Amino acid sequence: MSGLNDFLSQASSLLWGWPMIILLLGTHVYLTFVLRFPQRWIFKAVKLSFHRDPGATGDVSQFASLATALAATIGTGNIIGVATAIALGGPGAVLWCWLTGVFGISTKYAEGLLAIKYRVKTANGRMLGGPMYALERGLGWKWLAVLFALFTAIASFGIGNTVQANAIATVAHESYGVAPVISGAFICLLTAAVILGGVKSIARVCSILVPFMALFYVLGCIYILFVNSSFLWPALKLILSSAFSPQAAGGGFVGTTVMMAARYGIARGLFSNESGMGSAPIVAAAAQTRNPVRQALVSSSGTFWDTVVICAMTGLVIVSSVLAYPDISFENGAVLTKMAFSKIPVVGQPLLTLGLLTFAFSTILGWCYYGERAVEYLRGRRWVILYRVLYILAVFIGSVVNLNVVWNLADCMNALMAIPNLVSLLALSGVLVHETRKYLWRDRLEREM
């Protein structure tokens, strides 16, 4: 296992080197310009996400689709992932993570548009879509579509399952002394109760969990930032200077290179908001919407909430807390976050625990849907039940085993998913411009397809 972990660690470093950073950020920036800055429509996008689209074709409402996508993206990446990026890449990683989110809004917009444009309707009326359908139907690249679906199915057991289950079991054990075997069995039962009901059941639970968990977590962050208010400006300056300077960060932080800050910030940014990975458009394809651009806007708001708001607040909380409290030791990401939230009297630790538990569980639910659709694309509907059984078993396994190997595997799968998806976005950029001109630039958002 040690040899496998070393191999995956090296593979992750290779996959997340400069070529991936250039491809990912390059796609974000390119789509931002060719689509005339979809970020300027973000408040329109937020407004659309709370409105139903009467009479539109789809399986779930636009809000339910967004909530399911957010459930899969707002997870340990927002709490532990950001802290891990800071621990490994220094405070400057926060800026790279945030920039990935800002420019990633355009990519998430493009993914949502293609998901609706190339989705298919099954014989029983279900909507199926995502990068594999865009690759096959839009470009005729079936082989690349198969690779994307395969990477997605594998990734669902890592980033979306065992990693999250392990986080829940670890938090439950450290905070309340619950044995991992017990928490693992409990999570299995909860997961089974939800996912066996299909996309509508998953969407219904996520529509309740996501607003609840996000609100309480953001309120906790706001409180810490208020307490650390005198350290906010020094924290911001440190983040900005560390993002472009190879000098030692100071204030309890280790010195890092610009490459380390960019690599870990961008990698954890993608891990958090998944813009460019191609996972979120799988559920976006199930949305009830009258045209591709309406859902594209709704999808883009997910990256805004996930990274531009929540990840940015997490980063500021951690950096300002390290500057404010000399007793906060600079260790791994989980320790950094835990010590920052411990500064909230009485409710700090329970708030962080509740956030981790709900974030991680909702991610398990959202990624199950992604994996199901990938398996259905590869092998057909009859294999979905087997996938669900294996997925539930993986929840238990993830709760009780060490996951160093799985974390590195998750990073590798993230990159391998992103590559074919980014290729499809670039190759179909002409379609993206055409559809955006047709509905958005000409102010025809109410128009049917």
Side-chain angles (χ1 to χ4, degrees):
M1 291 298 290
S2 176
L4 177 61
N5 188 53
D6 290 342
F7 170 77
L8 290 173
S9 179
Q10 293 176 7
S12 176
S13 297
L14 178 64
L15 287 168
W16 285 108
W18 276 114
M20 173 56 78
I21 290 175
I22 293 171
L23 176 62
L24 179 63
L25 272 184
T27 301
H28 289 351
V29 174
Y30 171 72
L31 291 175
T32 294
F33 280 95
V34 299
L35 296 174
R36 300 182 186 176
F37 290 83
Q39 292 89 339
R40 62 196 174 102
W41 298 88
I42 194 63
F43 295 111
K44 176 70 172 179
V46 171
K47 183 179 178 181
L48 282 174
S49 67
F50 290 100
H51 289 277
R52 285 187 174 273
D53 205 349
T57 305
D59 299 331
V60 296
S61 69
Q62 289 180 310
F63 178 76
S65 171
L66 175 64
T68 304
L70 280 173
T73 54
I74 300 179
T76 54
N78 297 82
I79 301 176
I80 297 176
V82 173
T84 300
I86 295 171
L88 297 174
V94 176
L95 179 64
W96 289 105
C97 182
W98 187 78
L99 286 174
T100 301
V102 171
F103 285 102
I105 289 174
S106 299
T107 302
K108 190 64 73 73
Y109 168 92
E111 291 175 321
L113 193 158
L114 294 182
I116 299 297
K117 175 72 175 177
Y118 294 109
R119 68 182 179 179
V120 299
K121 189 173 184 178
T122 65
N124 60 2
R126 293 181 306 115
M127 290 294 184
L128 303 178
M132 51 277 205
Y133 293 92
L135 285 164
E136 180 183 352
R137 303 183 71 216
L139 296 168
W141 297 347
K142 175 76 173 180
W143 64 275
L144 197 54
V146 169
L147 283 179
F148 174 84
L150 179 62
F151 295 144
T152 301
I154 296 173
S156 70
F157 286 98
I159 178 179
N161 185 317
T162 50
V163 166
Q164 310 299 331
N166 188 264
I168 294 174
T170 300
V171 169
H173 179 67
E174 292 180 352
S175 301
Y176 304 107
V178 179
V181 173
I182 296 175
S183 56
F186 184 66
I187 303 165
C188 276
L189 291 175
L190 284 180
T191 303
V194 177
I195 68 175
L196 293 178
V199 62
K200 291 185 179 180
S201 175
I202 293 173
R204 184 166 56 250
V205 173
C206 291
S207 296
I208 298 172
L209 270 182
V210 168
F212 169 78
M213 68 186 186
L215 175 63
F216 278 89
Y217 182 74
V218 167
L219 288 176
C221 289
I222 290 174
Y223 176 83
I224 297 176
L225 293 176
F226 175 76
V227 173
N228 296 348
S229 58
S230 60
F231 293 90
L232 281 183
W233 181 241
L236 283 170
K237 289 197 296 184
L238 181 58
I239 289 170
L240 290 172
S241 62
S242 300
F244 303 103
S245 171
Q247 299 176 357
F253 293 101
V254 297
T256 58
T257 65
V258 174
M259 179 60 191
M260 287 174 66
R263 180 203 161 191
Y264 288 109
I266 292 171
R268 294 304 166 188
L270 177 61
F271 182 87
S272 171
N273 65 56
E274 300 179 15
S275 293
M277 193 190 302
S279 51
I282 296 175
V283 71
Q288 296 166 346
T289 185
R290 70 184 66 183
N291 63 61
V293 170
R294 287 177 71 93
Q295 181 55 36
L297 288 170
V298 171
S299 293
S300 71
S301 68
T303 298
F304 170 77
W305 292 119
D306 181 273
T307 305
V308 179
V309 177
I310 296 179
C311 282
M313 295 185 75
T314 301
L316 277 174
V317 162
I318 293 171
V319 176
S320 65
S321 294
V322 172
L323 296 179
Y325 304 101
D327 61 309
I328 293 184
S329 59
F330 191 82
E331 300 180 47
N332 62 61
V335 173
L336 270 177
T337 310
K338 183 177 180 180
M339 296 191 75
F341 271 80
S342 69
K343 301 305 177 181
I344 303 179
V346 184
V347 300
Q349 185 58 43
L351 180 64
L352 177 62
T353 300
L354 178 64
L356 277 170
L357 292 177
T358 53
F359 281 18
F361 179 65
S362 67
T363 300
I364 291 173
L365 299 182
W367 265 92
C368 179
Y369 181 77
Y370 298 159
E372 281 188 17
R373 297 290 75 79
V375 169
E376 184 171 356
Y377 179 83
L378 291 170
R379 303 296 298 174
R381 181 69 176 168
R382 64 186 181 278
W383 286 77
V384 170
I385 295 299
L386 175 61
Y387 170 83
R388 288 177 179 173
V389 172
L390 293 176
Y391 195 84
I392 293 168
L393 290 175
V395 169
F396 181 79
I397 294 172
S399 302
V400 298
V401 301
N402 184 285
L403 290 183
N404 288 334
V405 172
V406 176
W407 271 103
N408 284 320
L409 178 63
D411 271 346
C412 291
M413 288 300 105
N414 287 358
L416 291 174
M417 285 177 63
I419 292 171
N421 178 58
L422 294 172
V423 168
S424 72
L425 292 173
L426 294 172
L428 293 170
S429 59
V431 175
L432 294 170
V433 171
H434 173 77
E435 295 293 318
T436 302
R437 179 186 298 112
K438 179 179 178 181
Y439 294 106
L440 185 59
W441 298 342
R442 294 176 178 172
D443 196 21
R444 296 176 178 174
L445 282 177
E446 304 304 317
R447 183 176 176 180
E448 301 281 348
M449 283 189 285

